[in-house]
Amino acid sequence: MSTEAVWPEGYDRLILDEVDSTNAEAARLAPDLGRPTWILARRQTAPRGRRGKSWTMPEGNFAATLVMRPTGTPGWAALRSFLAANALFEALALSVDRTRLGLKWPNDVLLDGGKVAGILLESASQNGQVSWLAIGIGINLQSAPRIRDAAFPPVALDGAAGGPEEMLDLLAGYYATEEAILERLGFEPIREKWLRHAARLGEVITARTGRDAVTGRFETVDQDGRLVLATPEGERRIAAADVYFGEGA
Amino acid sequence: MTDTPHKSDVAFIQALAELLRENDLTELRVKREYGADDSLDVRVSRGGPAPVAAPAPAAPPPPQAPATAPAAAAEVPEDPARHPGAVTSPMVGTAYLAAEPGAAPFVKTGDTVEEGQTLVIVEAMKTMNHIPAPHAGTVKRILVEDGAPVEFGAPLMIVE
């Protein structure tokens, strides 16, 4: 790819040959952080997925974390899940037909129904205010790990989207735009954009929480970012869950 | 019970019952001292016989009492959240007591913690929000179970 991306103003960039995990590095940098900083690693020795889920990273794939010290409540900070998903969607849509891409609540980007990327956000809060936020993004740019029986089998871009550093430039640019929208206009335009790219909107999906599963029609995402499902027992608004398509899983 | 319970007592007990259900607890007991001869002792449990509530206000404060202690108490819906050592959830989400399933918990009851040490994670929108100890102390009580849904302001732990 030869897209000349302009690095966004107000953001720093740190490129590392190797690190344990970019999110771990973000947590170490966070206390003394000046400006929002993207940390890109060519290799991760201990990549982390959500809740201990494995996330392997062959070289050539993308692993980066944006660490920042936003203001506001942790609930507001968590809405950046959707900003990251929107930015990643746009960055990938430069390389593959956007009809092949879809978003799964809250921040999974699917390519042909498979998992092409993963986003893991971590934050810390004190006295009801967020102190730092790390948005970790992994993209299967070159190759996908083999995982048996995955509900969303890993897929890769096979190099179609260029290398990690080119991807970082694109992603940083799109993310900065999303952040500026959030700052000036609030969450609503972010939410609307996300819904335009949502997979299975209006269809039956299943949200699995730690202890139960809720199946219902995927109505919308509300102004707090919660998943809204219409179930036979009424409407359910869900703040934390893993989403599966259909009634199964 | 011959006394008609004070309206706020009923609301308070209801809030406790809700807390019990939401956090999947089996029993909750709260004792409050309003004054020298005015106290409330509530025990709410489930899984056994019908929930037991035993409000015993020796001298129930008049409704809408102006200012001072009784009025302030009447506005308090959830006692553990008002405990001076309470660590509450800053958002709606799922509480996790360990970094991942099967891992050792961040803290256990009786643990000594340092200020800033992660006590619990509350997840919403795939954001794992670490809740650090607001001050050094001892974990007196853990009020949520791993994987339990929590509401905004729900008490998670008592650290003193």
Side-chain angles (χ1 to χ4, degrees):
Chain A
M1 283 199 9
S2 59
T3 313
E4 289 290 324
V6 178
W7 187 257
E9 234 176 86
Y11 288 78
D12 284 340
R13 169 171 42 183
L14 187 63
I15 296 178
L16 306 170
D17 267 334
E18 187 174 285
V19 74
D20 46 357
S21 100
T22 52
N23 266 28
E25 180 70 10
R28 289 189 288 266
L29 292 182
D32 301 311
L33 192 75
R35 307 200 300 175
T37 301
W38 281 95
I39 305 160
L40 177 83
R42 296 193 178 95
R43 284 181 302 279
Q44 288 192 113
T45 55
R48 290 195 285 176
R50 179 178 162 273
R51 300 286 305 147
K53 282 183 182 169
S54 69
W55 182 265
T56 56
M57 188 203 156
E59 204 166 336
N61 279 358
F62 179 90
T65 295
L66 172 63
V67 56
M68 57 201 294
R69 298 180 62 93
T71 55
T73 64
W76 180 254
L79 292 177
R80 288 179 173 82
S81 232
F82 298 92
L83 281 67
N86 282 346
L88 182 52
F89 184 99
E90 293 302 335
L92 296 183
L94 288 179
S95 308
V96 298
D97 193 301
R98 56 174 58 219
T99 58
R100 293 173 62 195
L101 298 168
L103 299 178
K104 181 169 79 75
W105 187 89
N107 64 19
D108 273 322
V109 180
L110 302 176
L111 172 65
D112 301 328
K115 193 168 172 66
V116 69
I119 302 179
L120 173 67
L121 292 86
E122 292 184 79
S123 64
S125 63
Q126 194 115 39
N127 303 321
Q129 296 292 303
V130 69
S131 34
W132 56 266
L133 174 74
I135 307 171
I137 302 177
I139 311 170
N140 297 330
L141 285 184
Q142 289 296 341
S143 57
R146 282 171 200 270
I147 298 175
R148 279 197 298 160
D149 305 327
F152 299 93
V155 295
L157 289 152
D158 302 326
E165 284 167 52
E166 290 165 273
M167 178 52 71
L168 179 64
D169 287 350
L170 293 175
L171 199 52
Y174 282 119
Y175 183 84
T177 302
E178 294 285 315
E179 187 69 38
I181 291 170
L182 183 73
E183 207 169 284
R184 285 171 210 168
L185 304 170
F187 181 56
E188 187 55 25
I190 308 283
R191 187 182 79 91
E192 285 170 12
K193 189 198 278 188
W194 190 95
L195 285 168
R196 280 200 294 280
H197 299 142
R200 307 290 176 111
L201 192 61
E203 297 178 38
V204 171
I205 63 171
T206 297
R208 291 180 67 180
T209 66
R211 32 188 67 189
D212 62 352
V214 180
T215 297
R217 197 174 63 239
F218 176 16
E219 295 287 294
T220 191
V221 167
D222 74 9
Q223 71 278 5
D224 297 321
R226 289 178 299 178
L227 179 67
V228 182
L229 297 185
T231 78
E233 293 80 40
E235 186 186 275
R236 291 284 300 270
R237 289 172 186 249
I238 296 161
D242 281 319
V243 168
Y244 297 88
F245 294 154
E247 298 183 14
Chain B
M1 210 181 310
T2 49
D3 287 350
T4 307
H6 191 286
K7 221 176 175 182
S8 68
D9 287 347
V10 175
F12 173 60
I13 292 160
Q14 273 171 347
L16 288 179
E18 220 160 274
L19 203 66
L20 194 77
R21 219 173 26 246
E22 279 171 9
N23 294 297
D24 219 7
L25 306 170
T26 47
E27 185 175 308
L28 205 90
R29 184 172 175 173
V30 181
K31 197 168 180 189
R32 314 167 91 195
E33 302 288 343
Y34 293 124
D37 52 358
D38 183 6
S39 71
L40 177 69
D41 191 355
V42 188
R43 184 171 72 93
V44 194
S45 68
R46 62 172 191 173
V52 177
Q64 316 303 329
T68 68
E75 287 164 15
V76 177
E78 295 173 352
D79 214 48
R82 287 304 178 109
H83 190 285
V87 177
T88 58
S89 179
M91 61 180 181
V92 178
T94 300
Y96 296 111
L97 299 176
E100 55 192 69
F106 296 115
V107 293
K108 300 185 297 295
T109 305
D111 277 2
T112 304
V113 294
E114 289 170 26
E115 182 183 338
Q117 184 180 337
T118 297
L119 299 175
V120 53
I121 283 178
V122 177
E123 178 193 17
M125 320 301 150
K126 296 279 155 100
T127 303
M128 313 304 276
N129 184 45
H130 296 242
I131 315 284
H135 49 78
T138 303
V139 178
K140 293 287 184 190
R141 284 166 70 195
I142 296 175
L143 301 162
V144 286
E145 280 183 22
D146 190 51
V150 291
E151 294 296 321
F152 178 86
L156 304 171
M157 290 191 187
I158 307 280
V159 177
E160 286 185 301

